[in-house]
Amino acid sequence: MNFSHGALSTPSQTVGPFLHIALPWADGPFIVAEGTPGAFDISGRLTDGAGDPVPDGLIEVWQADPDGNFDHPDDPRGRRRYPGFRGFGRCDTDKDGTFHFHTLKPGRLPAEDNLVEAPHLDISVLARGLLHRLVTRLYFPDEGAANALDPVLASLAETDRGLLIAHPDAAGLRFDIRLRGERETPFFIV
């Protein structure tokens, strides 16, 4: 069997091309249904270290509801106060590295030592060349006081904190994820 140089798969290239096939999610990027009161869109681009789009990536979001509760049986604070709220979304990146989600803004969350985490989305990134997911967070630009007290944001260098705060745009919020290089998105070890 003959292969051209570009057709060979190496271990670092086996993750990306199969994400769209292996990990489908019926609700896709809709954490809530379209038309849900108070829902808005978050969009962004996944780029590599050179700033080029990553067209075969997968972005996952896990979040609390507006009251700060998770739609999960292990969350003792309650569930399903928001009809149709799924708390999870998954979106493939397109040829331009673009992704989007339709959601509600989460509430604040209790943290250790009686601290409170600011409203945020937990984000996982899967892409070609990544053998393990990368984990980051998106924080909201209208939560200045809460962001200033958030223990996770406080653990970062001040120059990195702004890289985790989304920016308003005409369609809702924008949050770009850069895998490497200048203005690299901070990722967490979990």
Side-chain angles (χ1 to χ4, degrees):
M1 184 181 288
N2 293 324
F3 292 98
S4 69
H5 176 66
L8 292 175
S9 290
T10 63
S12 66
Q13 295 171 324
T14 58
V15 178
F18 306 109
L19 294 173
H20 308 296
I21 298 167
L23 298 173
W25 179 250
D27 296 318
F30 294 95
I31 298 167
V32 294
E34 289 184 280
T36 298
F40 60 96
D41 291 322
I42 297 171
S43 63
R45 269 182 91 214
L46 178 62
T47 57
D48 64 17
D52 295 329
V54 177
D56 55 356
L58 185 73
I59 309 298
E60 292 181 338
V61 170
W62 176 257
Q63 69 167 87
D65 69 19
D67 291 333
N69 299 314
F70 285 96
D71 183 20
H72 193 277
D74 290 342
D75 188 340
R77 294 169 293 142
R79 296 178 38 199
R80 293 267 183 212
R81 292 190 52 182
Y82 294 85
F85 177 79
R86 298 173 187 93
F88 178 82
R90 179 179 285 158
C91 185
D92 300 334
T93 58
D94 67 14
K95 65 181 176 50
D96 297 318
T98 301
F99 60 89
H100 71 281
F101 291 94
H102 188 71
T103 191
L104 295 171
K105 185 177 175 186
R108 296 178 183 187
L109 296 169
E112 293 180 2
D113 299 326
N114 293 320
L115 298 174
V116 177
E117 293 182 359
H120 66 275
L121 306 181
D122 293 313
I123 297 176
S124 292
V125 179
L126 300 118
R128 61 180 149 84
L130 298 177
L131 298 179
H132 301 282
R133 72 183 172 126
L134 297 176
V135 177
T136 191
R137 284 184 168 190
L138 174 155
Y139 288 88
F140 294 85
D142 62 344
E143 291 285 346
N147 290 344
L149 297 173
D150 184 271
V152 175
L153 275 178
S155 72
L156 298 173
E158 191 170 336
T159 55
D160 288 340
R161 292 176 195 159
L163 298 173
L164 295 184
I165 299 175
H167 303 282
D169 74 3
L173 290 177
R174 175 133 188 129
F175 184 72
D176 294 326
I177 300 172
R178 180 127 187 207
L179 295 176
R180 297 198 59 146
E182 186 178 337
R183 298 188 54 75
E184 175 181 334
T185 301
F187 297 104
F188 302 98
I189 298 170
V190 292

